[in-house]
Amino acid sequence: MKKVANGWLSGFIGMLIFSGSLPATRVAILGFDPVFLTLARAAIAGLLALVLLVALRPKLPALNELPSLIVVGLGVVVGFPLLTAFALQHITSAYSMVFIGLLPLATGIFGVLRGKERPRPVFWLFAILGSLVVGAFAFGDTGAGSATGGLLMLAAITVCGLGYAEGAVLSRRLGGWQVICWALILPLPLMLFAVFAFWPSSMETVQASAWIGLGYVSLFSMLIGFMFWYRGLALGGIAAVGQLQLLQPFFGLLLAATLLGEPFKWSMVLVMMVAAMCVVGAKRVATARP
């Protein structure tokens, strides 16, 4: 029981850290180009991960685990940060939180595919219903954001769900913090080269808030948050602890409203509640293992 409780606590801390990612990204892109921001946060987190691996010297991943680590890196190190940075040029961070309500569902679907589980057909009913509800709101309310921002967020959720599921499977063998560290250092040489290639012509106009946003997404969103999150999934179970993601949009909306002063419509909360109920239903019938 203590092991499971520790898993839930670690997962909750990770979820809280992730809830600040989109508001911090929203602030950072006011001073940095989205591509440079993605490269810089990955490079900074990768250097910190390299220090940890050199200092603690965990066992090397097996050769057959490298493809999975590459998938994790493409999903959560490059794909999700880049796509959300572009999306937040078109929509507010409060509006983007609606899409985060689909992240548990995406993680569950890829968990089913990667874990070769066999959920009952009712699982797909919940999955389709939740997607339709969020999609109808996202593309029906033109006053909250653009279709471009919505499509970018849907793509971001897809690649992030894959990265979460792949990393959760790996964390059972390698350990939670090791998974994200190895996933960060694999593309590190390319990230460092690209950072200098995309280096802005001038940093004088970048405000302190943008630097703070870059620091948060580099240290917390890219590294520390995943240490807690993957540890929670490994100790408490992917399906169970993964449901904590349902709380992430609500904490994110609270941060966006209090720290950024962004308005949000109560319809967003209603949509997220409906999506949450669909995800809970889907998770309940997707826990069977082969």
Side-chain angles (χ1 to χ4, degrees):
M1 291 297 294
K2 184 178 180 180
K3 178 181 177 181
V4 175
N6 288 337
W8 277 92
L9 179 60
S10 294
F12 184 78
I13 295 173
M15 180 275 299
L16 284 180
I17 292 174
F18 290 152
S19 67
S21 297
L22 290 178
T25 301
R26 175 72 172 175
V27 172
I29 61 173
L30 297 178
F32 299 104
D33 175 78
V35 175
F36 175 78
L37 174 63
T38 301
L39 297 171
R41 65 189 282 182
I44 294 171
L47 289 173
L48 294 174
L50 180 60
V51 172
L52 285 174
L53 290 173
V54 171
L56 300 178
R57 297 184 179 182
K59 68 176 183 178
L60 295 173
L63 289 178
N64 62 353
E65 293 172 335
L66 291 180
S68 293
L69 285 172
I70 293 174
V71 171
V72 174
L74 291 176
V76 303
V77 176
V78 179
F80 183 77
L82 182 62
L83 290 169
T84 53
F86 278 123
L88 288 169
Q89 290 186 316
H90 303 277
I91 58 178
T92 66
S93 60
Y95 182 61
S96 67
M97 293 297 169
V98 176
F99 294 88
I100 299 299
L102 287 177
L103 188 51
L105 181 58
T107 305
I109 291 174
F110 283 112
V112 167
L113 295 175
R114 294 298 299 140
K116 301 189 184 303
E117 298 174 349
R118 297 293 182 266
R120 290 176 289 174
V122 69
F123 168 82
W124 303 112
L125 176 62
F126 284 116
I128 295 173
L129 178 59
S131 299
L132 288 176
V133 170
V134 175
F137 174 82
F139 298 107
D141 191 353
T142 56
S146 68
T148 300
L151 286 172
L152 287 168
M153 281 302 304
L154 288 176
I157 293 304
T158 301
V159 299
C160 187
L162 175 59
Y164 277 0
E166 200 73 31
V169 174
L170 276 177
S171 65
R172 294 169 178 169
R173 302 193 298 268
L174 296 178
W177 71 270
Q178 293 96 323
V179 168
I180 189 59
C181 284
W182 288 118
L184 282 167
I185 69 166
L186 284 178
L188 182 58
L190 179 61
M191 292 295 104
L192 291 173
F193 175 80
V195 163
F196 288 104
F198 285 87
W199 194 269
S201 57
S202 175
M203 293 285 195
E204 297 179 358
T205 58
V206 180
Q207 298 182 355
S209 58
W211 286 107
I212 294 174
L214 173 60
Y216 185 92
V217 296
S218 301
L219 179 60
F220 292 95
S221 302
M222 294 293 291
L223 185 61
I224 298 178
F226 277 103
M227 291 180 177
F228 284 102
W229 182 244
Y230 281 144
R231 181 176 184 270
L233 293 176
L235 293 178
I238 298 173
V241 177
Q243 293 188 47
L244 286 171
Q245 294 174 108
L246 299 176
L247 302 176
Q248 186 174 328
F250 297 94
F251 284 102
L253 278 174
L254 181 62
L255 288 173
T258 56
L259 298 181
L260 304 182
E262 291 187 356
F264 70 93
K265 298 180 179 180
W266 287 108
S267 56
M268 291 183 183
V269 178
L270 178 61
V271 169
M272 284 188 294
M273 291 176 63
V274 175
M277 289 187 290
C278 292
V279 174
V280 169
K283 284 290 188 180
R284 288 182 181 274
V285 296
T287 56
R289 298 190 178 277

